[in-house]
Amino acid sequence: MSDRLVIENLQVSYGSGAQRVEAVAPMSLAVPAGQKLGIVGESGSGKSTLLKAVLGLIRPPGVVRADGIWLDGTDLRSLSRREFRARCGSEIAMIFQDPVNALNPAFSIRDQFRRSFRLHQPDLPRSRYTETMLRALASVSIDARDKLGRYPFEFSQGQLQRIMIALACSSPRLKVLLADEPTSSLDVTTQAQVLDLLHALQAELGFSLIIVTHNLPVVAELCDRALVMCRGEVVEDTDVISLFEQPTHDYTRHLLASMASLPRIASGAAS
Ligand SMILES: Nc1ncnc2c1ncn2[C@@H]1O[C@H](COP(=O)(O)OP(=O)(O)O)[C@@H](O)[C@H]1O
Ligand SMILES: [Mg+2]
């Protein structure tokens, strides 16, 4: 299996001097095609920073150092701004925790898709925009024939997260999908539906999935590999079965013990 995403010696810090926080300590990672990687760790352990650094979304005072961040053999950091924008969103995309803030409130759903198509699928003829939007929305179970003109505030949180997923997955060239706690702003039933959806889309489209979650049962049911982060360090990188059966790091054991006392929030989510 070839590696879709390769990260070599990535390090991210915020601030300087006594205020300096090493949000991600030097780490390397290779994610093969079609792999479903779950990243867990307590709040502040650097999970979001890691995903944002891959997409070049770290702003000052953040400082990113890396020997390379390769997508299918191309170092994203070597691309011009224009080339980078063309690939991000079409070959690698991200969905965020809060879909309300991730979508522009002043744009209708049609406009959000149009903007995404113009940026990320320049070869798609305008005459095929509506058909492509409707197909993408149907794949996340939204019948949008009379809804394309609506604005984000006219949808529920769960619908908005589905729309975000439809936007992210609408590119036929999608290779890697990054998902940062995509269900934590949703109610329990909707969480399970959105996880089911991600599972089904991944199986159909075959992209590599990197999902950050607080929920270990989600990792168990959705992922085949797990990365555990603690204070910016990757303390465990293992297949999911070993994570649960033979955790090697004290922090992972602590995490598993604390999760064992919680209800299975997304029970059956990815069955
Ligand atoms: N924009 C920022 N400015 C300063 N520090 C930040 C910023 N974003 C994140 N951090 C710090 O980086 C560390 C990792 O944060 P984050 O990646 O958001 O963690 P997680 O997603 O695991 O909760 C935390 O100590 C956090 O306070
Ligand atoms: Mg986070």
Side-chain angles (χ1 to χ4, degrees):
M1 219 170 4
S2 61
D3 290 327
R4 284 288 191 239
L5 183 69
V6 176
I7 297 170
E8 200 170 312
N9 277 326
L10 172 72
Q11 178 185 19
V12 187
S13 60
Y14 292 103
S16 57
Q19 310 294 321
R20 186 173 184 275
V21 174
E22 189 163 59
V24 178
M27 57 91 66
S28 298
L29 179 69
V31 184
Q35 186 168 70
K36 293 161 282 176
L37 170 68
I39 303 183
V40 292
E42 65 190 1
S43 192
S45 56
K47 307 178 299 294
S48 298
T49 301
L50 167 60
L51 295 197
K52 285 189 201 156
V54 170
L55 280 190
L57 297 175
I58 302 292
R59 302 276 168 258
V63 176
V64 179
R65 291 188 185 84
D67 288 344
I69 300 174
W70 283 276
L71 178 67
D72 241 3
T74 302
D75 188 354
L76 293 174
R77 287 163 59 87
S78 72
L79 298 177
S80 69
R81 222 179 129 75
R82 198 162 153 264
E83 290 166 332
F84 186 83
R85 271 190 9 172
R87 293 189 77 143
C88 289
S90 66
E91 294 180 35
I92 183 167
M94 183 156 168
I95 51 175
F96 296 88
Q97 182 172 355
D98 178 4
V100 178
N101 288 327
L103 289 166
N104 188 328
F107 285 176
S108 69
I109 298 309
R110 180 184 285 108
D111 290 338
Q112 318 260 0
F113 271 95
R114 273 188 188 149
R115 189 166 170 273
S116 168
F117 291 161
R118 275 199 298 267
L119 275 175
H120 308 307
Q121 296 189 58
D123 303 338
L124 184 69
R126 277 173 170 263
S127 58
R128 294 200 39 224
Y129 273 18
T130 302
E131 161 208 340
T132 311
M133 286 175 206
L134 291 175
R135 194 158 10 92
L137 288 163
S139 75
V140 298
S141 303
I142 293 182
D143 179 357
R145 268 168 298 187
D146 56 349
K147 299 193 184 87
L148 289 178
R150 294 194 190 170
Y151 289 81
F153 75 88
E154 297 179 84
F155 294 88
S156 70
Q157 286 257 349
Q159 285 173 320
L160 289 177
Q161 193 58 294
R162 286 163 185 273
I163 292 168
M164 281 303 304
I165 294 171
L167 273 163
C169 295
S170 63
S171 162
R173 290 192 293 273
L174 185 67
K175 292 171 183 158
V176 179
L177 181 65
L178 310 175
D180 190 359
E181 300 195 42
T183 59
S184 51
S185 66
L186 309 177
D187 65 67
V188 174
T189 316
T190 316
Q191 283 184 11
Q193 289 167 354
V194 168
L195 288 166
D196 266 347
L197 182 64
L198 275 176
H199 184 70
L201 283 171
Q202 192 284 329
E204 185 191 336
L205 304 174
F207 50 78
S208 305
L209 175 68
I210 304 182
I211 180 168
V212 166
T213 175
H214 272 110
N215 192 337
L216 279 181
V218 169
V219 176
E221 291 174 27
L222 191 62
C223 301
D224 30 47
R225 175 180 173 194
L227 209 85
V228 181
M229 292 187 69
C230 179
R231 296 196 198 102
E233 304 227 7
V234 175
V235 295
E236 195 129 29
D237 179 357
T238 180
D239 67 275
V240 163
I241 293 170
S242 305
L243 179 81
F244 287 88
E245 291 185 353
Q246 300 154 334
T248 57
H249 198 275
D250 276 351
Y251 175 73
T252 312
R253 282 194 277 271
H254 167 75
L255 202 64
L256 287 169
S258 64
M259 296 284 173
S261 57
L262 294 174
R264 285 163 64 88
I265 297 175
S267 166
S271 57

